[in-house]
Amino acid sequence: MVKSFKDVPYGAFSFYSDMTVVCPKCGKAGTVRFDKERKIAVFRCGACFAEKEAFSCGNCGFEVTAQCTSTGKYFRTTVSGSKIHGQKIKVRCPYCNELVTGEVTDNRKEHIIFSDVRNGEDPYFHYPLYFQTGYKGKLIWAINREHLQYLIDYLSAEIRIPQSENCNTMLSQSDKLPAFMKSAKNREGIVKLLTKLRDSR
């Protein structure tokens, strides 16, 4: 048990973080990563080398692939379905803003909508998180090993220091933890479970 633990800012662990998930093909640990620049989620398994991509677009469902005639760079973007009227479309190059012609692909089934991590699954592909367990009928999960260690350190500390002295203006990561996890009567049992989970994987 650590004597004291200084919390981290809220959002330090979120759906933008790398997430360790169960590979649907081999059952081992894979990683879901969101590429902010390309606005795409990517799954990769280091064990069986399975890969999958999903594009962030909300209601959009069409991907456009093009090569800029000025920069020579290839790029991918998504557009609203209401703007599609054929197999090719004019789009702006993200590097130089030139209007170029791109090939259209209908990938609506592969598109994602942003949401928080729920039910122990990543929000992009809905693969089960690799680090999850249950306590008194409640699901407990961590998005990756770093997050798991954060939970262990926070819950096992004798003194918990908010990441800011003025918690009304800046939330700490722990502010969004479920009340049952922070309850004094549950903390010791949860820490034991999380420690066992960490050491077994």
Side-chain angles (χ1 to χ4, degrees):
M1 177 179 288
V2 295
K3 290 287 184 181
S4 65
F5 178 77
K6 186 173 182 180
D7 213 335
V8 297
Y10 177 65
F13 303 104
S14 71
F15 53 79
Y16 283 127
S17 306
D18 287 0
M19 300 181 218
T20 307
V21 298
V22 177
C23 175
K25 289 192 175 181
C26 70
K28 295 185 179 180
T31 301
V32 171
R33 175 177 289 119
F34 184 76
D35 186 329
K36 292 182 182 179
E37 183 177 333
R38 297 168 59 206
K39 295 183 179 179
I40 185 173
V42 180
F43 164 74
R44 289 192 176 93
C45 178
C48 70
F49 306 106
E51 292 188 5
K52 189 173 183 180
E53 293 183 346
F55 296 89
S56 162
C57 192
N59 292 327
C60 302
F62 295 92
E63 173 193 0
V64 180
T65 305
Q67 181 181 19
C68 180
T69 53
S70 294
T71 65
K73 293 182 178 181
Y74 285 92
F75 64 91
R76 286 187 291 194
T77 187
T78 51
V79 293
S80 169
S82 62
K83 297 180 181 179
I84 299 298
H85 300 289
Q87 295 301 311
K88 294 187 178 182
I89 189 174
K90 293 279 188 180
V91 291
R92 294 283 178 185
C93 172
Y95 303 103
C96 69
N97 206 38
E98 180 181 347
L99 198 62
V100 297
T101 301
E103 298 284 340
V104 177
T105 304
D106 184 352
N107 282 332
R108 280 174 289 188
K109 292 183 180 179
E110 297 301 320
H111 284 239
I112 56 178
I113 300 174
F114 288 125
S115 66
D116 291 328
V117 177
R118 294 178 182 173
N119 302 318
E121 299 178 339
D122 82 88
Y124 307 115
F125 305 99
H126 303 289
Y127 296 157
L129 294 174
Y130 191 69
F131 298 108
Q132 62 176 287
T133 185
Y135 183 78
K136 295 183 178 180
K138 302 283 189 179
L139 182 65
I140 301 174
W141 47 260
I143 61 174
N144 53 35
R145 189 172 291 277
E146 184 182 8
H147 185 212
L148 179 61
Q149 189 60 53
Y150 161 82
L151 292 174
I152 293 170
D153 292 343
Y154 174 81
L155 294 173
S156 63
E158 294 180 3
I159 301 171
R160 298 166 192 84
I161 306 168
Q163 69 92 24
S164 170
E165 292 182 2
N166 188 351
C167 293
N168 292 324
T169 59
M170 192 173 292
L171 292 175
S172 296
Q173 181 70 37
S174 63
D175 290 334
K176 295 298 183 178
L177 285 178
F180 84 90
M181 288 184 68
K182 295 190 282 188
S183 172
K185 66 180 181 180
N186 293 330
R187 286 199 300 263
E188 184 178 351
I190 291 174
V191 168
K192 286 181 179 178
L193 274 176
L194 294 179
T195 302
K196 182 178 180 181
L197 180 63
R198 179 197 65 191
D199 296 343
S200 66
R201 299 201 163 198

